[in-house]
Structures are given as C-alpha cells and as structure tokens.
Amino acid sequence: MGQGEDYPIILVLSLFILMISYFAFNYSNVFNGKKISTIIPFVKYKKTGLSKIVSQEFKEKLEKLMLEEKPFLDVEIRLDNIAEALGINRHQTSQIINEHFNSSFYDFINAYRVKESKRILKDQKNKINISEVAFLSGFNNKVSFNIAFKKTTNMTPSEYRKLVISEHLVSKKC
C-alpha cells in the first residue's frame, strides 16, 4: 500500500475527531448520559406549513369535532377521515394530535372511546355487558377495549363498573 492511499483514511478519522471535539466542548451533557434530543432541540414539523396560531385553531376544531360528531364511535375511523373532516391533510392532522395532545392517532381516538365507555358504564350500571359497552364506544373487540381502558384508567372495565356501582350505593345511603 502506497503513501497516497492513507490520506482518505486520515481525513475521515480527522473529521470524526473534530466532530467529537465539537460536541465535547459545546454539548458536554451528551457525554454525561443525557439524550442528544434533549440537548439539541429537534423540530419535528418544521416544514408542514402550520403556524402556531393555525395549529391552535385546528386543535380547537378537532376537539369540537370529537365532542359534537363523535367520529371515534366509528370502528373503521382512520386518520384520513379526521383530516377530511378538518379540511387539512393527514400529516397536518397527525401533527396537531402529536403536538397538542402528545399522543398518537390511535391513542387519541382510544382516549375518547374510553371516556365514552366510562359514560356508558355509569349510565347503564349492570344493564349491558362489557362487550356491548366496547362496541357502543367504538372498539371493534373486547380485547383492544380492555387494553385501552386499562392503559387510560389503570383498571379494567369490570373493575370500573364495580367502583361505579359501589359509589352509587354509597351515595344512595347518604
């Protein structure tokens, strides 16, 4: 191997050492165990075209849509459906859900479904079974309902129902 063939390797190693030195002096917390994303802010939705004001307006429009039209009750709901209802594209809709609700689309939808199921469980007490509550609140099966419910409330739907019934009995006695 000739002398001229070592230059690319030396150049790459020098650039690597220069980069490490730069981070060591300017972002020393990286070497102390902190995640680089907490030290160097990464702007996720830099190019979407939604200003903070417009994003806030669509957030409010989304909340109104969810409360008034209840699209989460549709078991076939998709991000595209919500985007169409808001009059924006799916990426912007996803951005609004991620930024304003700190949630993925499905977690966002499931939060509304769980809220609806809690309302049904309070209203119906023991009149309908848990599977019916799941379907009435937009879930397409009992397993996903139980998982989402427990994730949101830290209890199963059955446990929640028992709690509601016992609270109801206590309030009747008083």
Side-chain angles (χ1 to χ4, degrees), residues 3-32:
Q3 284 183 331
E5 295 175 13
D6 292 339
Y7 289 125
I9 295 170
I10 292 171
L11 180 63
V12 169
L13 288 175
S14 298
L15 288 173
F16 182 72
I17 291 169
L18 185 64
M19 185 179 75
I20 295 293
S21 300
Y22 173 80
F23 277 101
F25 287 114
N26 294 308
Y27 302 103
S28 59
N29 287 332
V30 170
F31 298 99
N32 295 330

PDB file of all heavy atoms in Angstrom, residues 3-32:
ATOM      1  N   GLN A   3       1.861   5.486  -0.005  1.00  0.00           N
ATOM      2  CA  GLN A   3       1.599   6.581   0.915  1.00  0.00           C
ATOM      3  C   GLN A   3       0.315   7.334   0.578  1.00  0.00           C
ATOM      4  O   GLN A   3      -0.392   7.780   1.458  1.00  0.00           O
ATOM      5  CB  GLN A   3       2.762   7.572   0.895  1.00  0.00           C
ATOM      6  CG  GLN A   3       3.965   7.075   1.638  1.00  0.00           C
ATOM      7  CD  GLN A   3       5.057   8.134   1.637  1.00  0.00           C
ATOM      8  OE1 GLN A   3       5.145   8.942   0.716  1.00  0.00           O
ATOM      9  NE2 GLN A   3       5.895   8.113   2.659  1.00  0.00           N
ATOM     10  N   GLY A   4      -0.027   7.518  -0.646  1.00  0.00           N
ATOM     11  CA  GLY A   4      -1.195   8.282  -1.092  1.00  0.00           C
ATOM     12  C   GLY A   4      -2.523   7.628  -0.732  1.00  0.00           C
ATOM     13  O   GLY A   4      -3.550   8.293  -0.664  1.00  0.00           O
ATOM     14  N   GLU A   5      -2.509   6.322  -0.471  1.00  0.00           N
ATOM     15  CA  GLU A   5      -3.754   5.612  -0.150  1.00  0.00           C
ATOM     16  C   GLU A   5      -4.194   5.816   1.290  1.00  0.00           C
ATOM     17  O   GLU A   5      -5.322   5.535   1.644  1.00  0.00           O
ATOM     18  CB  GLU A   5      -3.562   4.122  -0.439  1.00  0.00           C
ATOM     19  CG  GLU A   5      -3.344   3.834  -1.904  1.00  0.00           C
ATOM     20  CD  GLU A   5      -3.025   2.378  -2.181  1.00  0.00           C
ATOM     21  OE1 GLU A   5      -3.208   1.533  -1.293  1.00  0.00           O
ATOM     22  OE2 GLU A   5      -2.586   2.087  -3.302  1.00  0.00           O
ATOM     23  N   ASP A   6      -3.316   6.330   2.144  1.00  0.00           N
ATOM     24  CA  ASP A   6      -3.659   6.557   3.550  1.00  0.00           C
ATOM     25  C   ASP A   6      -4.406   7.879   3.771  1.00  0.00           C
ATOM     26  O   ASP A   6      -5.043   8.061   4.807  1.00  0.00           O
ATOM     27  CB  ASP A   6      -2.381   6.564   4.407  1.00  0.00           C
ATOM     28  CG  ASP A   6      -1.734   5.188   4.482  1.00  0.00           C
ATOM     29  OD1 ASP A   6      -2.444   4.194   4.233  1.00  0.00           O
ATOM     30  OD2 ASP A   6      -0.531   5.125   4.795  1.00  0.00           O
ATOM     31  N   TYR A   7      -4.330   8.807   2.849  1.00  0.00           N
ATOM     32  CA  TYR A   7      -4.926  10.131   3.038  1.00  0.00           C
ATOM     33  C   TYR A   7      -6.450  10.107   3.263  1.00  0.00           C
ATOM     34  O   TYR A   7      -6.932  10.809   4.155  1.00  0.00           O
ATOM     35  CB  TYR A   7      -4.568  11.065   1.875  1.00  0.00           C
ATOM     36  CG  TYR A   7      -3.117  11.485   1.886  1.00  0.00           C
ATOM     37  CD1 TYR A   7      -2.309  11.273   0.773  1.00  0.00           C
ATOM     38  CD2 TYR A   7      -2.556  12.086   3.009  1.00  0.00           C
ATOM     39  CE1 TYR A   7      -0.986  11.648   0.777  1.00  0.00           C
ATOM     40  CE2 TYR A   7      -1.224  12.467   3.013  1.00  0.00           C
ATOM     41  CZ  TYR A   7      -0.442  12.254   1.901  1.00  0.00           C
ATOM     42  OH  TYR A   7       0.868  12.617   1.910  1.00  0.00           O
ATOM     43  N   PRO A   8      -7.221   9.336   2.507  1.00  0.00           N
ATOM     44  CA  PRO A   8      -8.676   9.316   2.781  1.00  0.00           C
ATOM     45  C   PRO A   8      -9.001   8.812   4.190  1.00  0.00           C
ATOM     46  O   PRO A   8      -9.885   9.344   4.867  1.00  0.00           O
ATOM     47  CB  PRO A   8      -9.234   8.374   1.717  1.00  0.00           C
ATOM     48  CG  PRO A   8      -8.229   8.379   0.623  1.00  0.00           C
ATOM     49  CD  PRO A   8      -6.897   8.600   1.301  1.00  0.00           C
ATOM     50  N   ILE A   9      -8.257   7.823   4.644  1.00  0.00           N
ATOM     51  CA  ILE A   9      -8.494   7.276   5.988  1.00  0.00           C
ATOM     52  C   ILE A   9      -8.140   8.320   7.043  1.00  0.00           C
ATOM     53  O   ILE A   9      -8.892   8.550   7.994  1.00  0.00           O
ATOM     54  CB  ILE A   9      -7.693   5.973   6.196  1.00  0.00           C
ATOM     55  CG1 ILE A   9      -8.213   4.896   5.244  1.00  0.00           C
ATOM     56  CG2 ILE A   9      -7.768   5.507   7.643  1.00  0.00           C
ATOM     57  CD1 ILE A   9      -7.357   3.662   5.182  1.00  0.00           C
ATOM     58  N   ILE A  10      -7.032   8.984   6.862  1.00  0.00           N
ATOM     59  CA  ILE A  10      -6.598  10.017   7.804  1.00  0.00           C
ATOM     60  C   ILE A  10      -7.604  11.169   7.808  1.00  0.00           C
ATOM     61  O   ILE A  10      -7.946  11.701   8.867  1.00  0.00           O
ATOM     62  CB  ILE A  10      -5.162  10.505   7.461  1.00  0.00           C
ATOM     63  CG1 ILE A  10      -4.153   9.386   7.734  1.00  0.00           C
ATOM     64  CG2 ILE A  10      -4.812  11.765   8.245  1.00  0.00           C
ATOM     65  CD1 ILE A  10      -2.755   9.671   7.232  1.00  0.00           C
ATOM     66  N   LEU A  11      -8.083  11.540   6.643  1.00  0.00           N
ATOM     67  CA  LEU A  11      -9.074  12.627   6.542  1.00  0.00           C
ATOM     68  C   LEU A  11     -10.361  12.268   7.280  1.00  0.00           C
ATOM     69  O   LEU A  11     -10.886  13.065   8.054  1.00  0.00           O
ATOM     70  CB  LEU A  11      -9.376  12.932   5.070  1.00  0.00           C
ATOM     71  CG  LEU A  11     -10.382  14.051   4.820  1.00  0.00           C
ATOM     72  CD1 LEU A  11      -9.851  15.377   5.344  1.00  0.00           C
ATOM     73  CD2 LEU A  11     -10.697  14.153   3.344  1.00  0.00           C
ATOM     74  N   VAL A  12     -10.896  11.068   7.090  1.00  0.00           N
ATOM     75  CA  VAL A  12     -12.121  10.624   7.757  1.00  0.00           C
ATOM     76  C   VAL A  12     -11.922  10.585   9.268  1.00  0.00           C
ATOM     77  O   VAL A  12     -12.766  11.061  10.034  1.00  0.00           O
ATOM     78  CB  VAL A  12     -12.578   9.253   7.207  1.00  0.00           C
ATOM     79  CG1 VAL A  12     -13.675   8.656   8.077  1.00  0.00           C
ATOM     80  CG2 VAL A  12     -13.052   9.381   5.773  1.00  0.00           C
ATOM     81  N   LEU A  13     -10.810  10.041   9.730  1.00  0.00           N
ATOM     82  CA  LEU A  13     -10.522   9.985  11.166  1.00  0.00           C
ATOM     83  C   LEU A  13     -10.377  11.387  11.750  1.00  0.00           C
ATOM     84  O   LEU A  13     -10.856  11.663  12.857  1.00  0.00           O
ATOM     85  CB  LEU A  13      -9.264   9.161  11.439  1.00  0.00           C
ATOM     86  CG  LEU A  13      -9.407   7.651  11.248  1.00  0.00           C
ATOM     87  CD1 LEU A  13      -8.056   6.953  11.422  1.00  0.00           C
ATOM     88  CD2 LEU A  13     -10.413   7.080  12.222  1.00  0.00           C
ATOM     89  N   SER A  14      -9.758  12.293  11.015  1.00  0.00           N
ATOM     90  CA  SER A  14      -9.606  13.675  11.486  1.00  0.00           C
ATOM     91  C   SER A  14     -10.967  14.357  11.619  1.00  0.00           C
ATOM     92  O   SER A  14     -11.220  15.062  12.611  1.00  0.00           O
ATOM     93  CB  SER A  14      -8.717  14.472  10.531  1.00  0.00           C
ATOM     94  OG  SER A  14      -7.432  13.916  10.481  1.00  0.00           O
ATOM     95  N   LEU A  15     -11.814  14.167  10.636  1.00  0.00           N
ATOM     96  CA  LEU A  15     -13.165  14.751  10.699  1.00  0.00           C
ATOM     97  C   LEU A  15     -13.959  14.171  11.865  1.00  0.00           C
ATOM     98  O   LEU A  15     -14.685  14.895  12.560  1.00  0.00           O
ATOM     99  CB  LEU A  15     -13.912  14.531   9.381  1.00  0.00           C
ATOM    100  CG  LEU A  15     -13.432  15.368   8.196  1.00  0.00           C
ATOM    101  CD1 LEU A  15     -14.130  14.936   6.913  1.00  0.00           C
ATOM    102  CD2 LEU A  15     -13.637  16.843   8.460  1.00  0.00           C
ATOM    103  N   PHE A  16     -13.825  12.898  12.103  1.00  0.00           N
ATOM    104  CA  PHE A  16     -14.512  12.250  13.220  1.00  0.00           C
ATOM    105  C   PHE A  16     -14.026  12.829  14.554  1.00  0.00           C
ATOM    106  O   PHE A  16     -14.825  13.159  15.436  1.00  0.00           O
ATOM    107  CB  PHE A  16     -14.303  10.736  13.155  1.00  0.00           C
ATOM    108  CG  PHE A  16     -15.005   9.981  14.235  1.00  0.00           C
ATOM    109  CD1 PHE A  16     -16.387   9.849  14.223  1.00  0.00           C
ATOM    110  CD2 PHE A  16     -14.295   9.419  15.295  1.00  0.00           C
ATOM    111  CE1 PHE A  16     -17.048   9.162  15.231  1.00  0.00           C
ATOM    112  CE2 PHE A  16     -14.943   8.733  16.303  1.00  0.00           C
ATOM    113  CZ  PHE A  16     -16.328   8.602  16.272  1.00  0.00           C
ATOM    114  N   ILE A  17     -12.724  12.979  14.703  1.00  0.00           N
ATOM    115  CA  ILE A  17     -12.151  13.547  15.931  1.00  0.00           C
ATOM    116  C   ILE A  17     -12.598  14.994  16.094  1.00  0.00           C
ATOM    117  O   ILE A  17     -12.931  15.436  17.196  1.00  0.00           O
ATOM    118  CB  ILE A  17     -10.603  13.422  15.927  1.00  0.00           C
ATOM    119  CG1 ILE A  17     -10.205  11.943  16.074  1.00  0.00           C
ATOM    120  CG2 ILE A  17      -9.977  14.268  17.026  1.00  0.00           C
ATOM    121  CD1 ILE A  17      -8.748  11.660  15.835  1.00  0.00           C
ATOM    122  N   LEU A  18     -12.651  15.735  15.004  1.00  0.00           N
ATOM    123  CA  LEU A  18     -13.120  17.119  15.040  1.00  0.00           C
ATOM    124  C   LEU A  18     -14.584  17.188  15.492  1.00  0.00           C
ATOM    125  O   LEU A  18     -14.951  18.027  16.327  1.00  0.00           O
ATOM    126  CB  LEU A  18     -12.952  17.758  13.654  1.00  0.00           C
ATOM    127  CG  LEU A  18     -13.291  19.236  13.543  1.00  0.00           C
ATOM    128  CD1 LEU A  18     -12.347  20.067  14.408  1.00  0.00           C
ATOM    129  CD2 LEU A  18     -13.212  19.681  12.107  1.00  0.00           C
ATOM    130  N   MET A  19     -15.417  16.300  14.988  1.00  0.00           N
ATOM    131  CA  MET A  19     -16.833  16.263  15.368  1.00  0.00           C
ATOM    132  C   MET A  19     -16.988  15.911  16.849  1.00  0.00           C
ATOM    133  O   MET A  19     -17.751  16.553  17.569  1.00  0.00           O
ATOM    134  CB  MET A  19     -17.590  15.240  14.501  1.00  0.00           C
ATOM    135  CG  MET A  19     -19.080  15.213  14.745  1.00  0.00           C
ATOM    136  SD  MET A  19     -19.935  14.021  13.699  1.00  0.00           S
ATOM    137  CE  MET A  19     -19.490  12.509  14.512  1.00  0.00           C
ATOM    138  N   ILE A  20     -16.262  14.928  17.324  1.00  0.00           N
ATOM    139  CA  ILE A  20     -16.317  14.543  18.739  1.00  0.00           C
ATOM    140  C   ILE A  20     -15.864  15.710  19.609  1.00  0.00           C
ATOM    141  O   ILE A  20     -16.478  16.017  20.642  1.00  0.00           O
ATOM    142  CB  ILE A  20     -15.443  13.289  19.002  1.00  0.00           C
ATOM    143  CG1 ILE A  20     -15.984  12.079  18.267  1.00  0.00           C
ATOM    144  CG2 ILE A  20     -15.319  13.011  20.506  1.00  0.00           C
ATOM    145  CD1 ILE A  20     -17.316  11.581  18.760  1.00  0.00           C
ATOM    146  N   SER A  21     -14.822  16.393  19.204  1.00  0.00           N
ATOM    147  CA  SER A  21     -14.314  17.542  19.966  1.00  0.00           C
ATOM    148  C   SER A  21     -15.360  18.660  20.017  1.00  0.00           C
ATOM    149  O   SER A  21     -15.565  19.273  21.065  1.00  0.00           O
ATOM    150  CB  SER A  21     -13.024  18.081  19.338  1.00  0.00           C
ATOM    151  OG  SER A  21     -12.041  17.086  19.328  1.00  0.00           O
ATOM    152  N   TYR A  22     -15.993  18.927  18.895  1.00  0.00           N
ATOM    153  CA  TYR A  22     -17.039  19.953  18.842  1.00  0.00           C
ATOM    154  C   TYR A  22     -18.147  19.641  19.852  1.00  0.00           C
ATOM    155  O   TYR A  22     -18.555  20.507  20.626  1.00  0.00           O
ATOM    156  CB  TYR A  22     -17.620  20.044  17.421  1.00  0.00           C
ATOM    157  CG  TYR A  22     -18.820  20.948  17.324  1.00  0.00           C
ATOM    158  CD1 TYR A  22     -18.657  22.327  17.251  1.00  0.00           C
ATOM    159  CD2 TYR A  22     -20.108  20.427  17.307  1.00  0.00           C
ATOM    160  CE1 TYR A  22     -19.758  23.174  17.165  1.00  0.00           C
ATOM    161  CE2 TYR A  22     -21.216  21.249  17.225  1.00  0.00           C
ATOM    162  CZ  TYR A  22     -21.039  22.631  17.149  1.00  0.00           C
ATOM    163  OH  TYR A  22     -22.123  23.450  17.077  1.00  0.00           O
ATOM    164  N   PHE A  23     -18.649  18.416  19.844  1.00  0.00           N
ATOM    165  CA  PHE A  23     -19.711  18.034  20.785  1.00  0.00           C
ATOM    166  C   PHE A  23     -19.204  18.060  22.228  1.00  0.00           C
ATOM    167  O   PHE A  23     -19.939  18.435  23.135  1.00  0.00           O
ATOM    168  CB  PHE A  23     -20.282  16.655  20.446  1.00  0.00           C
ATOM    169  CG  PHE A  23     -21.329  16.712  19.381  1.00  0.00           C
ATOM    170  CD1 PHE A  23     -21.025  16.380  18.069  1.00  0.00           C
ATOM    171  CD2 PHE A  23     -22.623  17.105  19.671  1.00  0.00           C
ATOM    172  CE1 PHE A  23     -21.990  16.438  17.079  1.00  0.00           C
ATOM    173  CE2 PHE A  23     -23.594  17.176  18.691  1.00  0.00           C
ATOM    174  CZ  PHE A  23     -23.267  16.839  17.396  1.00  0.00           C
ATOM    175  N   ALA A  24     -17.975  17.673  22.449  1.00  0.00           N
ATOM    176  CA  ALA A  24     -17.423  17.660  23.807  1.00  0.00           C
ATOM    177  C   ALA A  24     -17.379  19.063  24.399  1.00  0.00           C
ATOM    178  O   ALA A  24     -17.678  19.261  25.580  1.00  0.00           O
ATOM    179  CB  ALA A  24     -16.036  17.041  23.806  1.00  0.00           C
ATOM    180  N   PHE A  25     -17.026  20.051  23.581  1.00  0.00           N
ATOM    181  CA  PHE A  25     -16.940  21.425  24.087  1.00  0.00           C
ATOM    182  C   PHE A  25     -18.299  22.122  24.123  1.00  0.00           C
ATOM    183  O   PHE A  25     -18.592  22.861  25.055  1.00  0.00           O
ATOM    184  CB  PHE A  25     -15.955  22.247  23.242  1.00  0.00           C
ATOM    185  CG  PHE A  25     -14.525  21.880  23.483  1.00  0.00           C
ATOM    186  CD1 PHE A  25     -13.775  21.288  22.489  1.00  0.00           C
ATOM    187  CD2 PHE A  25     -13.931  22.110  24.719  1.00  0.00           C
ATOM    188  CE1 PHE A  25     -12.453  20.933  22.710  1.00  0.00           C
ATOM    189  CE2 PHE A  25     -12.616  21.761  24.956  1.00  0.00           C
ATOM    190  CZ  PHE A  25     -11.869  21.170  23.947  1.00  0.00           C
ATOM    191  N   ASN A  26     -19.124  21.907  23.143  1.00  0.00           N
ATOM    192  CA  ASN A  26     -20.391  22.643  23.049  1.00  0.00           C
ATOM    193  C   ASN A  26     -21.589  21.930  23.677  1.00  0.00           C
ATOM    194  O   ASN A  26     -22.546  22.572  24.077  1.00  0.00           O
ATOM    195  CB  ASN A  26     -20.698  22.967  21.587  1.00  0.00           C
ATOM    196  CG  ASN A  26     -19.701  23.938  21.014  1.00  0.00           C
ATOM    197  OD1 ASN A  26     -19.459  24.990  21.595  1.00  0.00           O
ATOM    198  ND2 ASN A  26     -19.095  23.582  19.896  1.00  0.00           N
ATOM    199  N   TYR A  27     -21.552  20.627  23.727  1.00  0.00           N
ATOM    200  CA  TYR A  27     -22.679  19.852  24.253  1.00  0.00           C
ATOM    201  C   TYR A  27     -22.157  18.768  25.190  1.00  0.00           C
ATOM    202  O   TYR A  27     -22.415  17.580  25.016  1.00  0.00           O
ATOM    203  CB  TYR A  27     -23.489  19.222  23.106  1.00  0.00           C
ATOM    204  CG  TYR A  27     -24.012  20.239  22.126  1.00  0.00           C
ATOM    205  CD1 TYR A  27     -23.404  20.423  20.882  1.00  0.00           C
ATOM    206  CD2 TYR A  27     -25.122  21.023  22.437  1.00  0.00           C
ATOM    207  CE1 TYR A  27     -23.883  21.359  19.990  1.00  0.00           C
ATOM    208  CE2 TYR A  27     -25.605  21.964  21.554  1.00  0.00           C
ATOM    209  CZ  TYR A  27     -24.980  22.127  20.331  1.00  0.00           C
ATOM    210  OH  TYR A  27     -25.469  23.051  19.454  1.00  0.00           O
ATOM    211  N   SER A  28     -21.442  19.185  26.209  1.00  0.00           N
ATOM    212  CA  SER A  28     -20.789  18.221  27.098  1.00  0.00           C
ATOM    213  C   SER A  28     -21.783  17.315  27.822  1.00  0.00           C
ATOM    214  O   SER A  28     -21.421  16.225  28.252  1.00  0.00           O
ATOM    215  CB  SER A  28     -19.909  18.949  28.118  1.00  0.00           C
ATOM    216  OG  SER A  28     -20.695  19.850  28.878  1.00  0.00           O
ATOM    217  N   ASN A  29     -23.043  17.732  27.938  1.00  0.00           N
ATOM    218  CA  ASN A  29     -24.044  16.894  28.606  1.00  0.00           C
ATOM    219  C   ASN A  29     -24.289  15.580  27.878  1.00  0.00           C
ATOM    220  O   ASN A  29     -24.743  14.612  28.478  1.00  0.00           O
ATOM    221  CB  ASN A  29     -25.366  17.644  28.776  1.00  0.00           C
ATOM    222  CG  ASN A  29     -25.281  18.698  29.854  1.00  0.00           C
ATOM    223  OD1 ASN A  29     -24.495  18.565  30.786  1.00  0.00           O
ATOM    224  ND2 ASN A  29     -26.068  19.735  29.741  1.00  0.00           N
ATOM    225  N   VAL A  30     -24.008  15.542  26.588  1.00  0.00           N
ATOM    226  CA  VAL A  30     -24.153  14.302  25.824  1.00  0.00           C
ATOM    227  C   VAL A  30     -23.256  13.223  26.423  1.00  0.00           C
ATOM    228  O   VAL A  30     -23.625  12.061  26.500  1.00  0.00           O
ATOM    229  CB  VAL A  30     -23.814  14.517  24.326  1.00  0.00           C
ATOM    230  CG1 VAL A  30     -23.729  13.201  23.576  1.00  0.00           C
ATOM    231  CG2 VAL A  30     -24.819  15.429  23.680  1.00  0.00           C
ATOM    232  N   PHE A  31     -22.092  13.630  26.899  1.00  0.00           N
ATOM    233  CA  PHE A  31     -21.131  12.677  27.461  1.00  0.00           C
ATOM    234  C   PHE A  31     -21.438  12.348  28.916  1.00  0.00           C
ATOM    235  O   PHE A  31     -20.776  11.529  29.521  1.00  0.00           O
ATOM    236  CB  PHE A  31     -19.704  13.208  27.301  1.00  0.00           C
ATOM    237  CG  PHE A  31     -19.317  13.378  25.865  1.00  0.00           C
ATOM    238  CD1 PHE A  31     -19.372  14.626  25.254  1.00  0.00           C
ATOM    239  CD2 PHE A  31     -18.941  12.283  25.100  1.00  0.00           C
ATOM    240  CE1 PHE A  31     -19.032  14.773  23.924  1.00  0.00           C
ATOM    241  CE2 PHE A  31     -18.615  12.426  23.768  1.00  0.00           C
ATOM    242  CZ  PHE A  31     -18.657  13.673  23.171  1.00  0.00           C
ATOM    243  N   ASN A  32     -22.435  13.014  29.473  1.00  0.00           N
ATOM    244  CA  ASN A  32     -22.846  12.748  30.849  1.00  0.00           C
ATOM    245  C   ASN A  32     -24.111  11.898  30.917  1.00  0.00           C
ATOM    246  O   ASN A  32     -24.767  11.840  31.940  1.00  0.00           O
ATOM    247  CB  ASN A  32     -23.063  14.058  31.606  1.00  0.00           C
ATOM    248  CG  ASN A  32     -21.784  14.839  31.770  1.00  0.00           C
ATOM    249  OD1 ASN A  32     -20.707  14.263  31.850  1.00  0.00           O
ATOM    250  ND2 ASN A  32     -21.884  16.155  31.811  1.00  0.00           N
TER     251      ASN A  32
END
